Amino acid sequence: MSENRIKELRELLTRYSYEYHVLDKPTIPDSEYDQLFRELEDLEALHPELDDPSSPTKKVGYTVLDSFAKVTHERPMMSLGDVFSYDELRDWAKKIEDVYPDVQYCVEYKIDGLAMSLIYEDGLFKQAVTRGDGVTGEDVTNNVRTIKSIPLKIPYKQRYDIRGEVYMPKKAFEKANEARRKEGAEEFANPRNAAAGSIRQLDSRIAASRGLDGFWYHIPEDVNADNHYDSLMYAKHLGFKVNDTMRLCDNIEDVINRIEETAKIRHDLPYEIDGMVIKVNDYAKQKVLGFTSRIPKWAIAYKFPAEEVRTVVEDIFITVGRTGKCTPNAKFSPVKVAGTTIGFAILHNEDNIRDKDIRVGDTIIVRKAGDIIPEVVRSIKENRDGSQVPYIFPNTCPVCGGKLYRFEDEAAHYCINTDCKARLVFGIAHFASRKAMNIDGLGEKKVEAFYSEGILESFEDIYKLHNKRDIILNIDKFGQKSYVNLVEAIENSKANSLERLLFGLGIRQVGEKAAKLLASHFKTMDALMDATLEELSDIKDIGPITARGIVDFFKDENNRRIINELKILGLNMDYIDNSIGGDNPFKGKTVVLTGSLSIYTRKEASDILENLGAHCAGSVSKKTDYVIYGENAGSKLAKANELGVKTISEEEFRNML
């Protein structure tokens, strides 16, 4: 009886999930689905002998791995060439139409996600593999299995390899970032990064919680159809989620019309797209057209240009950062750009405002750089009617009234009043941030609340907060548990290596990398404090401006007093060498990372290299030893090849490790 019921429930839940996640046409309410799902879980727990890897309960995430295994693709997963204008697109099409005047194109959305290959054998889902370097990818089966729209069983007994894109829907992206904000974690930059990060979680339960989805758009060798469109229709019949927005076009002008139609509604879609993919539909024609060494000649990706809109500047105002840097910002009439409404953009500095001649009351063009960061492109001078007011950069700080100072080597203005509230609050928040002293629970809002209570006005005060329990517990939304966790995080931060403290102190021009370089070179705070301008300038990648900033910082008696006070309070002042011992191919080498990495995040790769004793640089030169590249590597990879610098794919890098 139980065996029959388990079988019935599996079939029902698989059908209901397909209707909901693939067809977007649910036939039962969520509450009823949940009830049936719990019943199946209970019955499977009672009957482990009836385990089935294709059961709907296997999508909840249950596996924790030590690492991802490498898998060689049976057929390479190639990238697509890009075009950025209709003229380039027409040039591409002309080469094809010179061979096939009657060609038909299939036009699809270019989903902004993570390329993936799914393998089925004997009708069962066997494996999911990332693109990797196109030849070798990572086995992420346990994470991809949790995606609810992916069938675990299909009515097809032969081996079936289908490829597509795993992505994070916009609603899931917002939900994931809301959770990260509550945890005090760094937010995902965009849905693509969020999807890639989720797929690379070693704990499949985390991937299961992220609400990932997938569209499937390519079968490398399909015997069930003689063209791309029919192949995808067959895949849909098998149970795969195929994007129904694809269209067949008989010429390139029809393709361009389809692109323009999509551009108008792209930001209203529930997922991110960054362009359109155009493919020759007929498989026989594809075969004749063939491939270059890395891309198919029969397909191309058209990338959308950054969307630009008009608005009017209502105000220009200054914000003061932790170093005293005063940043001008434009407030303008809110406009919708790239799917979200924006009303502010950073103007960077006085020179930028002058060069672009941006005035209060101006009509301006705004866009999102990389579809993310609001940016003022230019002012429209011909729209001026005489009421526009040129902006005069202030001489005093808008927060404390102190004098602003502009260093000779910088375009920025600084408030040099060390007691400025803005500098204190942002400086302390930076000191406590994850990449500095990593004091969880001491974000900007908490720092401001403690500052208002008069219990946190300096770095030293952080390490005296354990004596302020009664005051802290009276602050809104700060309970006993939060207090205990904060005190513990503060105490743990005392053991941090020297570079975290250096970065946290906010020395002008000393970022995270420079702090690590200084700490590893001088080993102790005392040695660094006594370093001369010449000694600092002799260090590779510490330029004269940075060296001067360091010397000036440690000349200041107040800064030396703060460091001495922190030493008395028990903070570690020495460099802790966590680098991997022994010789390795990266030790002492200069390495440049370029392209979209899929195995590691950019920071993970940088951290690994630095722990191996390498230096990560931002640009390629004759002094570069290695360039490690991912997907869509561009000018840096080209320059490396031009200079004869050794290039390493991300997968080769992984193998070397």
Side-chain angles (χ1 to χ4, degrees):
M1 182 67 178
S2 294
E3 182 176 356
N4 291 337
R5 180 57 176 164
I6 287 174
K7 184 179 179 182
E8 179 187 16
L9 286 170
R10 285 171 177 167
E11 290 175 353
L12 282 172
L13 289 168
T14 298
R15 175 160 63 86
Y16 294 148
S17 180
Y18 175 74
E19 291 168 345
Y20 184 94
H21 295 287
V22 178
L23 301 181
D24 198 22
K25 295 178 180 177
T27 56
I28 64 168
D30 290 350
S31 57
E32 187 176 336
Y33 180 93
D34 294 341
Q35 184 178 345
L36 295 174
F37 192 92
R38 284 193 294 270
E39 182 185 351
L40 178 59
E41 280 186 314
D42 292 341
L43 286 172
E44 287 181 339
L46 291 171
H47 297 279
E49 72 279 5
L50 299 176
D51 181 63
D52 184 347
S54 64
S55 171
T57 58
K58 300 299 185 184
K59 287 184 173 290
V60 296
Y62 59 92
T63 306
V64 180
L65 301 175
D66 293 325
S67 62
F68 296 113
K70 296 185 293 294
V71 178
T72 300
H73 297 294
E74 190 167 297
R75 298 174 189 83
M77 285 186 73
M78 305 188 90
S79 300
L80 293 176
D82 294 329
V83 294
F84 299 90
S85 70
Y86 293 150
D87 285 342
E88 288 179 299
L89 185 57
R90 290 185 179 103
D91 289 343
W92 170 81
K94 186 178 184 303
K95 294 175 184 176
I96 291 170
E97 291 168 10
D98 284 345
V99 181
Y100 293 112
D102 61 341
V103 68
Q104 187 180 52
Y105 301 105
C106 188
V107 185
E108 305 167 62
Y109 290 173
K110 186 176 183 298
I111 308 298
D112 199 10
L114 184 69
M116 192 71 61
S117 172
L118 305 182
I119 310 297
Y120 289 77
E121 289 186 356
D122 198 27
L124 297 177
F125 174 57
K126 179 187 177 185
Q127 197 171 46
V129 185
T130 62
R131 184 202 303 274
D133 63 1
V135 176
T136 306
E138 287 186 302
D139 186 336
V140 289
T141 305
N142 290 312
N143 288 340
V144 173
R145 179 186 293 275
T146 68
I147 298 174
K148 293 178 180 179
S149 65
I150 292 177
L152 299 181
K153 183 186 289 187
I154 60 174
Y156 188 78
K157 295 300 180 183
Q158 299 176 46
R159 190 179 192 277
Y160 196 70
D161 180 357
I162 187 168
R163 295 171 178 182
E165 206 86 4
V166 169
Y167 67 92
M168 182 174 282
K170 290 177 181 176
K171 285 186 178 178
F173 174 68
E174 291 166 5
K175 184 178 178 182
N177 268 347
E178 183 181 354
R180 292 176 78 80
R181 281 193 294 272
K182 289 179 180 177
E183 294 167 2
E186 185 178 355
E187 293 182 37
F188 291 120
N190 53 58
R192 188 197 181 283
N193 287 359
S198 301
I199 284 297
R200 295 201 66 258
Q201 293 292 328
L202 295 173
D203 186 343
S204 63
R205 289 168 296 188
I206 297 175
S209 71
R210 295 275 173 83
L212 298 175
D213 209 336
F215 278 123
W216 307 97
Y217 50 67
H218 179 57
I219 297 88
E221 189 172 311
D222 195 354
V223 298
N224 304 293
D226 59 10
N227 66 75
H228 177 68
Y229 185 90
D230 289 346
S231 179
L232 293 188
M233 290 301 100
Y234 185 75
K236 183 177 180 180
H237 164 73
L238 293 178
F240 293 97
K241 188 171 184 177
V242 173
N243 199 326
D244 291 329
T245 60
M246 62 182 171
R247 295 288 184 273
L248 291 175
C249 296
D250 292 328
N251 56 66
I252 203 63
E253 296 308 317
D254 286 347
V255 170
I256 290 171
N257 289 337
R258 177 60 181 159
I259 291 171
E260 291 185 334
E261 288 173 6
T262 304
K264 294 174 184 177
I265 56 93
R266 60 179 282 219
H267 298 303
D268 298 325
L269 297 171
Y271 45 82
E272 295 284 355
I273 65 172
D274 59 356
M276 304 288 279
V277 175
I278 302 96
K279 301 172 184 173
V280 171
N281 190 41
D282 185 85
Y283 281 157
K285 291 181 173 68
Q286 287 186 9
K287 190 172 183 180
V288 172
L289 292 166
F291 301 81
T292 68
S293 61
R294 66 180 188 90
I295 60 173
K297 294 180 181 178
W298 45 263
I300 201 77
Y302 172 84
K303 291 291 193 72
F304 288 124
E307 181 184 0
E308 297 184 347
V309 300
R310 292 187 179 202
T311 185
V312 176
V313 178
E314 297 177 349
D315 190 19
I316 295 176
F317 62 94
I318 300 293
T319 54
V320 184
R322 62 182 175 82
T323 61
K325 184 178 180 179
C326 295
T327 304
N329 303 265
K331 178 181 183 296
F332 43 80
S333 303
V335 285
K336 194 169 185 179
V337 184
T340 58
T341 300
I342 60 173
F344 299 90
I346 295 172
L347 295 176
H348 302 292
N349 54 58
E350 181 184 23
D351 293 347
N352 182 57
I353 297 173
R354 184 186 62 248
D355 293 344
K356 292 182 177 179
D357 192 14
I358 298 167
R359 307 179 182 187
V360 175
D362 260 345
T363 300
I364 55 171
I365 299 293
V366 296
R367 68 184 177 195
K368 280 188 178 178
D371 274 356
I372 298 170
I373 302 169
E375 174 187 24
V376 176
V377 181
R378 64 184 180 278
S379 60
I380 304 176
K381 299 178 178 61
E382 54 268 30
N383 279 30
R384 289 176 180 164
D385 58 11
S387 64
Q388 289 71 26
V389 181
Y391 182 71
I392 299 174
F393 210 92
N395 295 318
T396 57
C397 173
V399 177
C400 70
K403 184 180 178 181
L404 297 188
Y405 182 78
R406 179 170 174 173
F407 296 100
E408 289 183 8
D409 49 26
E410 289 193 48
H413 286 73
Y414 287 83
C415 171
I416 57 175
N417 175 19
T418 54
D419 293 324
C420 175
K421 177 186 174 182
R423 290 193 62 179
L424 289 169
V425 169
F426 286 119
I428 293 170
H430 168 75
F431 184 90
S433 65
R434 190 161 60 92
K435 292 182 179 180
M437 296 303 283
N438 194 25
I439 303 174
D440 192 27
L442 199 57
E444 184 184 318
K445 289 183 179 178
K446 288 292 189 299
V447 171
E448 192 156 12
F450 292 171
Y451 180 89
S452 298
E453 292 290 336
I455 60 173
L456 184 53
E457 297 178 347
S458 66
F459 299 150
E460 310 97 286
D461 286 344
I462 294 173
Y463 297 93
K464 301 171 186 177
L465 288 175
H466 63 283
N467 295 323
K468 310 295 182 181
R469 177 181 176 277
D470 292 342
I471 297 173
I472 292 173
L473 292 180
N474 281 324
I475 295 174
D476 186 38
K477 296 181 181 179
F478 216 100
Q480 175 67 22
K481 186 176 180 181
S482 297
Y483 167 77
V484 171
N485 290 341
L486 175 61
V487 170
E488 183 179 352
I490 291 170
E491 188 62 30
N492 290 340
S493 75
K494 292 180 179 180
N496 285 336
S497 183
L498 174 60
E499 68 271 14
R500 283 184 171 271
L501 176 57
L502 288 176
F503 181 49
L505 287 171
I507 304 170
R508 194 167 70 94
Q509 298 288 344
V510 176
E512 191 180 359
K513 284 188 177 180
K516 180 72 177 282
L517 196 60
L518 292 166
S520 62
H521 182 88
F522 288 100
K523 308 301 183 187
T524 70
M525 179 66 85
D526 288 341
L528 175 58
M529 289 171 71
D530 293 337
T532 65
L533 184 64
E534 291 73 21
E535 288 173 327
L536 289 162
S537 299
D538 285 342
I539 301 172
K540 185 180 180 182
D541 295 312
I542 297 294
I545 295 173
T546 303
R548 170 54 62 190
I550 295 165
V551 169
D552 289 346
F553 181 87
F554 288 118
K555 271 185 181 177
D556 188 290
E557 287 302 319
N558 188 53
N559 291 334
R560 297 180 78 91
R561 179 197 60 76
I562 290 169
I563 291 166
N564 188 56
E565 180 74 14
L566 292 174
K567 188 185 297 185
I568 292 169
L569 287 165
L571 274 70
N572 173 58
M573 297 283 161
D574 298 335
Y575 173 61
I576 300 170
D577 189 353
N578 290 317
S579 62
I580 299 169
D583 290 331
N584 66 75
F586 300 104
K587 190 172 184 180
K589 303 296 184 183
T590 297
V591 183
V592 173
L593 296 163
T594 185
S596 299
L597 303 182
S598 57
I599 299 173
Y600 307 98
T601 64
R602 186 64 63 92
K603 186 175 189 313
E604 285 172 342
S606 296
D607 288 346
I608 290 169
L609 286 163
E610 288 177 2
N611 283 337
L612 289 168
H615 165 65
C616 291
S619 58
V620 180
S621 70
K622 291 181 179 178
K623 295 181 179 179
T624 305
D625 295 295
Y626 301 115
V627 169
I628 298 173
Y629 63 91
E631 294 179 38
N632 302 318
S635 59
K636 291 180 183 178
L637 182 59
K639 187 170 183 181
N641 290 327
E642 181 185 326
L643 295 174
V645 174
K646 183 173 177 58
T647 60
I648 303 169
S649 73
E650 186 184 10
E651 185 58 37
E652 288 171 329
F653 173 52
R654 172 73 178 270
N655 293 339
M656 291 170 77
L657 296 179

